[in-house]
Amino acid sequence: MRKRIYGIDIAKIVACMQVVWLHTSMRYFTGNYQLSSSIDREILRILYIMSGVAIPVFFMANGYFILNKKELTISYVWKKTCNILVVILGWLLMYSILNYLKDRDFLFFKYALGTVIPGIPNVSTFIHLWFFWTLIILLWFAIYINKILHRNIKLYAGIILLLFFICIIVNILSYINESPIDKHIYQPFRIYQWLMYYMLGGYVGYFKDRIFSYYRTHRSKVILLTLTSYAAFSVVIFFTQTIMGTLFIEYSYGNILCIVSSLLLYILFLCHDYKSITKSISEKIIPLTMGIYIVHPIIIKHVVYVVAVKNIYQVLAMYIIILFVSICMTYIVRKMPILSKLVKI
C-alpha cells in the first residue's frame, strides 16, 4: 500500500481551490460581466494570475506518482485510461440525457468535441475536461518516460531541459508576435508544456530524499526563494499579459517565472511538516478534489449567469458558494454506488 504523502494532498487541494477561483473570477474582469470598478477588476486579475500555478501543480502531482512506479505496465495504463474515459464520457452522457429531456436536443457528440475544442456554442460547460484527455496522453508517454527515469537519469533531465526551452521559446515568440503562439494548439495537445510539468513531478519524486534533506537544512532560504519567485511571477504577468493581447493565464504556463514558481511551490508543499489536524482534514477533502474539479463549472453555469455581481466582495462570496456547493454535490455523488465512479480516477 502506497504511503500517503500529505504534502502532495495539500498541494492538490490548494490547486483545486485555485482552479475554481480561476473559472469563477475570470468573467468579472473580461467579457460581458466585468465589474464597474476598475480597481476591483485589477485586484481580481492579480488574484486570478496568482492562481495560475494550479494546473502545473496538478500535472506535477500526477507525474510524481506515475513516473516513480517501479514498473509501469501497459495493463495498468490501459486500466487507468478506461477509468478516465468512464469519468469523461459518463458526465457527458448524463448531462446530454438531462439536456434532451429538457430541450429534446441530444448534444453528447458536441459536448465531447467541446472538451477539446474551445468556442463551440452552447457546449462550453465541459471544456475543462481537456485536462483528463491530457492525462490519458501523458499516461501512454509515461510507459517509456518511466523507463528512462529509472535507467538513464541524465537523458531524463535532458528531455526536461529540451521541453523547458521549447516552452520558453514559444512564450517569448508569443510576446514578439503580440498573440499567443499556442492558441493554435488545443490544450490537450500542448504536450511540450504538460509533459515538462509531468516529468518535473517525476524528477522531484526521484530525488525526494535529497530534496527533503536540503529543505530541512535550508528551510528559510527555500521559503524566501519560493515566495519571491511567486510574487515576481504574479507581478510580471500582470504587467506583461496585455502584450500578448490576452488576459487568460493558460498562455503563460510556458513563462519561465511560472515554471520556476510552480516547481518551488510544489516542493514547498511537499516538504512542509504538517500538523496532525491538517493531515486529518486533508484525508477527508482529498477524495473530493477530482469531483470538485469536474462539477464546479456546472455550478458556475447555473449560478453566475443569473446572479448580478457588482463588487469584489460579492465575487468572493460567489466563489465561496460555488466551492461549497461543489463540495456538497461531490460528496453526495460519492455516496451513490452507481455514480461514485464519475468522481474517481
Side-chain angles (χ1 to χ4, degrees):
M1 188 176 183
R2 187 179 71 190
K3 183 181 178 182
R4 179 174 289 278
I5 302 176
Y6 289 98
I8 293 182
D9 286 350
I10 301 298
K12 290 168 74 173
I13 290 169
V14 173
C16 180
M17 294 172 67
Q18 287 181 322
V19 167
V20 177
W21 173 253
L22 286 174
H23 293 156
T24 300
S25 63
M26 62 191 291
R27 66 198 72 251
Y28 295 115
F29 60 84
T30 61
N32 300 322
Y33 297 88
Q34 292 187 41
L35 300 180
S36 56
S37 168
S38 60
I39 295 176
D40 281 3
R41 290 200 304 270
E42 297 303 88
I43 293 173
L44 277 183
R45 193 159 78 85
I46 192 72
L47 293 175
Y48 168 83
I49 291 169
M50 291 176 70
S51 294
V53 297
I55 296 300
V57 166
F58 265 135
F59 279 118
M60 284 188 281
N62 278 275
Y64 183 100
F65 289 117
I66 296 296
L67 294 176
N68 280 285
K69 284 184 172 294
K70 291 183 179 179
E71 185 179 5
L72 193 61
T73 63
I74 292 178
S75 61
Y76 172 87
V77 170
W78 176 246
K79 182 180 179 181
K80 199 82 171 173
T81 298
C82 290
N83 289 341
I84 298 174
L85 287 173
V86 167
V87 170
I88 297 173
L89 302 180
W91 278 102
L92 297 182
L93 180 61
M94 185 170 64
Y95 204 78
S96 298
I97 291 172
L98 292 174
N99 188 80
Y100 179 78
L101 294 174
K102 178 185 175 184
D103 301 322
R104 289 293 184 265
D105 194 5
F106 190 68
L107 297 175
F108 176 82
F109 297 105
K110 276 191 175 181
Y111 280 133
L113 195 60
T115 62
V116 178
I117 303 174
I120 298 177
N122 304 319
V123 296
S124 60
T125 306
F126 293 102
I127 185 61
H128 66 301
L129 296 187
W130 68 266
F131 177 77
F132 296 111
W133 291 117
T134 308
L135 285 184
I136 290 174
I137 295 170
L138 293 177
L139 272 170
W140 290 93
F141 269 101
I143 295 173
Y144 306 101
I145 298 298
N146 173 272
K147 291 183 174 64
I148 296 174
L149 175 61
H150 295 287
R151 296 176 184 177
N152 192 335
I153 190 63
K154 290 184 179 179
L155 175 59
Y156 186 93
I159 295 172
I160 292 178
L161 200 59
L162 175 62
L163 294 170
F164 173 80
F165 282 121
I166 292 173
C167 288
I168 300 303
I169 290 169
V170 169
N171 186 250
I172 292 172
L173 288 176
S174 295
Y175 284 114
I176 294 173
N177 189 51
E178 297 183 355
S179 178
I181 299 297
D182 41 11
K183 76 176 181 179
H184 304 291
I185 306 171
Y186 299 134
Q187 285 204 77
F189 308 116
R190 297 172 191 168
I191 300 301
Y192 53 91
Q193 271 183 181
W194 312 135
L195 186 58
M196 179 198 65
Y197 283 116
Y198 201 71
M199 291 180 68
L200 279 173
Y203 196 79
V204 170
Y206 187 84
F207 289 107
K208 62 180 182 299
D209 292 334
R210 295 186 189 180
I211 292 172
F212 272 103
S213 177
Y214 185 86
Y215 177 81
R216 284 191 292 268
T217 306
H218 305 281
R219 182 174 178 272
S220 298
K221 292 180 180 178
V222 173
I223 292 174
L224 179 61
L225 179 61
T226 301
L227 295 179
T228 301
S229 66
Y230 187 38
F233 156 69
S234 303
V235 172
V236 169
I237 297 301
F238 181 82
F239 286 107
T240 60
Q241 258 186 333
T242 51
I243 297 175
M244 266 197 272
T246 178
L247 298 180
F248 294 121
I249 194 64
E250 67 178 90
Y251 300 117
S252 296
Y253 291 145
N255 184 286
I256 186 169
L257 288 172
C258 182
I259 297 168
V260 171
S261 58
S262 298
L263 178 60
L264 289 174
L265 281 166
Y266 181 72
I267 290 172
L268 190 61
F269 277 119
L270 178 66
C271 296
H272 186 72
D273 185 20
Y274 298 93
K275 295 181 179 180
S276 57
I277 187 171
T278 305
K279 294 178 180 179
S280 178
I281 293 172
S282 72
E283 287 180 0
K284 292 179 174 61
I285 297 177
I286 195 64
L288 303 177
T289 52
M290 196 54 65
I292 294 168
Y293 178 85
I294 294 168
V295 306
H296 79 272
I298 301 173
I299 309 301
I300 289 174
K301 180 178 180 180
H302 290 87
V303 175
V304 172
Y305 296 150
V306 296
V307 178
V309 173
K310 298 180 180 179
N311 58 57
I312 190 170
Y313 303 107
Q314 292 175 341
V315 176
L316 291 170
M318 180 69 70
Y319 165 71
I320 293 171
I321 291 170
I322 291 168
L323 186 60
F324 177 75
V325 174
S326 299
I327 291 171
C328 293
M329 185 174 174
T330 301
Y331 181 82
I332 292 169
V333 171
R334 282 182 62 86
K335 293 296 181 180
M336 303 170 70
I338 297 177
L339 299 180
S340 62
K341 290 185 178 180
L342 297 182
V343 290
K344 298 177 183 177
I345 292 181

